[in-house]
Amino acid sequence: MVSLFSIFILTLLLITALAIVQSRNLFVAVMLSGIFSLLIATIFFLLDAADVALTEAAVGAGISTVLFLGALALTAEREQEPPTNRPVALVVVVMTALVLIYGTLGTPRLGDPNAPVQTHVSPWYLEQTPHYIDIPNVVTAVLGSYRGYDTLGEVFVVLTAGIGVLFLLGKSSPRGSRGPESSAEGAGLRHYLIPRLVGRLLIPFILLFGLYVQFHGEYSPGGGFQAGAIIAAAIILYALLEGEAHALLVLPRWLLTGMIAGGALLYGGVGVVCLLLGGNFLDYSVLTSDPVTGQQIGLLLIEAGVGITVTGVLLSVFHAFAARGEY
Amino acid sequence: MELVGLYHYWVFAGLLMIGFYAVVAKPNLVKKLVGLSLFQAAVFLLYITMGKVEGAMAPIFMAGIEEQLYSSPLPQVLILTAIVVGISTTALGLGIVIRIKEEYGTIEEHEIHQIDHP
């Protein structure tokens, strides 16, 4: 039954992807890519990846759609007819697809407990996590502790991308900058009663859920990356309803810039404190006298750092796009 | 089960190539970025598919359940961070596209080429 459902969703995924590429209207393509994200999140959930499904749903269907729509408002909504159909591209793509499909015939079968992925470090993580860190969610344990270096690197990539967008779009628009109060830009959806009422009801709960995902990440699916995306989505919803200027009153630009750097600094700072206390970089065991408690405190701190940076970057990017356009 | 597993991999191959086609064949820069996110999503699907264990649960321990099989947490960790990094790089790409639109007045590849090489 489950496999039948998987096949159905996977087929829908392929159809949606084809429709995205086929559609000349970019607005339609972006909306379809939101549906695509929800579908693939369902697949992730069926494949036992609850954390990944939560991230994909929050990022792919929420933030990504808003950013693409923001970019469309500044560029063009329709794609032009291409001058050539590029038959070579089609030939290359079909050939590569055939090679890939031939390659899949040699993969381990789905769900094989003896596949190489399952026999290397994964069993060690599953067996030793109760002993070393003693938290139920092994994904969070691997993310924050065993592979803490990796995650620190990822946070720096997010930080760098955020800085890059601020450099590209931070400078005022060549068409003359408008004040945030002028024109319809500051108004948002304030004159539409139903979206405004429903949105106002939803925002506190979205924020609460974001905080729950942030601080309950050791026990259930969640953590800094997901929480950052969810909290950013709540603030973006507020900005869409009340106008960008109001959202900037809640979280001003200087605070967002501080959050981008501060979160990464908190993460790196925990690593340095571990060094100073005589351990290895990002080895949280030395933080308290009990190594297991130390690991848990370290995880909580670095997850907070991740959440702060991700929220800051996503909101800064949104404001950088919004400041250029006429929402 | 064998065929269902292969279908997962075939959908991966299909999505990867649909995304790749959008990147190489579509002249519109926003469309290229959408294609790139399809390409990324296909890779995510491949990793998560490989981590699945038959009859297992998500790798989150629950009180009172002993001797339970769990799917591999490692691919999930890699993909979880990759999704957030992916949206950050996509945002950077969109930022570049917006600047190109402001400088060239178009986001179609062939028109940009014509302006650069009249």
Side-chain angles (χ1 to χ4, degrees), chain A residues 13 19 48 58 66 129 171 197 209 216 218 231 272 299-300 321:
Chain A
L13 261 184
D48 294 341
V66 170
T129 298
K171 144 179 162 315
L197 272 178
F209 181 61
H216 212 256
E218 280 95 46
I231 293 173
V272 174
L299 273 179
L300 205 66
F321 281 24

Side-chain angles (χ1 to χ4, degrees), chain A residues 11 23 48 55 80 122 324, chain B residues 7 31 71-72 80 102 111:
Chain A
T11 314
S23 161
D48 294 341
T55 318
Q80 289 177 16
S122 298
R324 299 220 149 205
Chain B
Y7 191 62
K31 200 56 164 294
S71 286
S72 173
L80 161 60
E102 285 174 0
E111 291 178 3

Side-chain angles (χ1 to χ4, degrees), chain A residues 42-68:
Chain A
T42 316
I43 290 289
F44 290 155
F45 191 75
L46 290 175
L47 292 171
D48 294 341
D51 283 87
V52 182
L54 182 57
T55 318
E56 178 66 39
V59 168
I63 311 274
S64 166
T65 312
V66 170
L67 290 185
F68 269 108

Side-chain angles (χ1 to χ4, degrees), chain A residues 123-181:
Chain A
W124 190 90
Y125 288 147
L126 288 168
E127 279 160 25
Q128 300 300 321
T129 298
H131 175 62
Y132 282 115
I133 308 180
D134 197 23
I135 60 169
N137 190 346
V138 186
V139 176
T140 305
V142 178
L143 178 94
S145 187
Y146 302 125
R147 298 188 70 91
Y149 275 54
D150 256 26
T151 312
L152 181 66
E154 311 268 17
V155 170
F156 278 119
V157 173
V158 174
L159 167 86
T160 314
I163 295 173
V165 173
L166 289 183
F167 267 123
L168 278 168
L169 300 180
K171 144 179 162 315
S172 64
S173 161
R175 284 170 289 172
S177 57
R178 292 171 303 273
E181 285 82 23

Side-chain angles (χ1 to χ4, degrees), chain A residues 11 20-21 23 48 55 74 79-80 83 86 104 109-111 118 122 126 136 138 143 147 154 168 324, chain B residues 7 10 18 24 26 31 50-52 54 56 58-59 61 71-72 76 80-81 85 98-99 102 108-109 111:
Chain A
T11 314
I20 289 172
V21 174
S23 161
D48 294 341
T55 318
L74 293 171
E79 186 186 8
Q80 289 177 16
R86 307 201 187 183
T104 61
R109 91 187 151 76
L110 175 68
Q118 315 296 349
S122 298
L126 288 168
V138 186
L143 178 94
R147 298 188 70 91
E154 311 268 17
L168 278 168
R324 299 220 149 205
Chain B
Y7 191 62
W10 291 344
I18 291 170
V24 292
K26 293 286 174 180
K31 200 56 164 294
M50 289 195 301
K52 166 82 178 163
E54 204 173 345
F61 300 132
S71 286
S72 173
Q76 301 190 12
L80 161 60
T81 52
V85 169
I98 290 171
R99 293 289 294 132
E102 285 174 0
E108 303 287 328
E109 200 180 36
E111 291 178 3

Side-chain angles (χ1 to χ4, degrees), chain A residues 1-11 42-43 46:
Chain A
M1 191 61 214
V2 173
S3 53
L4 211 70
F5 189 58
S6 308
I7 290 177
F8 177 65
I9 301 277
L10 285 168
T11 314
T42 316
I43 290 289
L46 290 175

Side-chain angles (χ1 to χ4, degrees), chain B residues 25-81:
Chain B
K26 293 286 174 180
N28 185 293
L29 295 179
V30 173
K31 200 56 164 294
K32 276 182 198 288
L33 280 175
V34 176
L36 201 61
S37 11
L38 286 183
F39 192 93
Q40 273 181 340
V43 177
F44 300 161
L45 181 64
L46 173 70
Y47 268 66
I48 299 297
T49 307
M50 289 195 301
K52 166 82 178 163
V53 174
E54 204 173 345
M57 290 191 345
I60 300 171
F61 300 132
M62 285 211 270
I65 298 181
E66 304 286 330
E67 296 300 315
Q68 169 68 41
L69 276 173
Y70 296 100
S71 286
S72 173
L74 188 58
Q76 301 190 12
V77 172
L78 301 178
I79 294 316
L80 161 60
T81 52

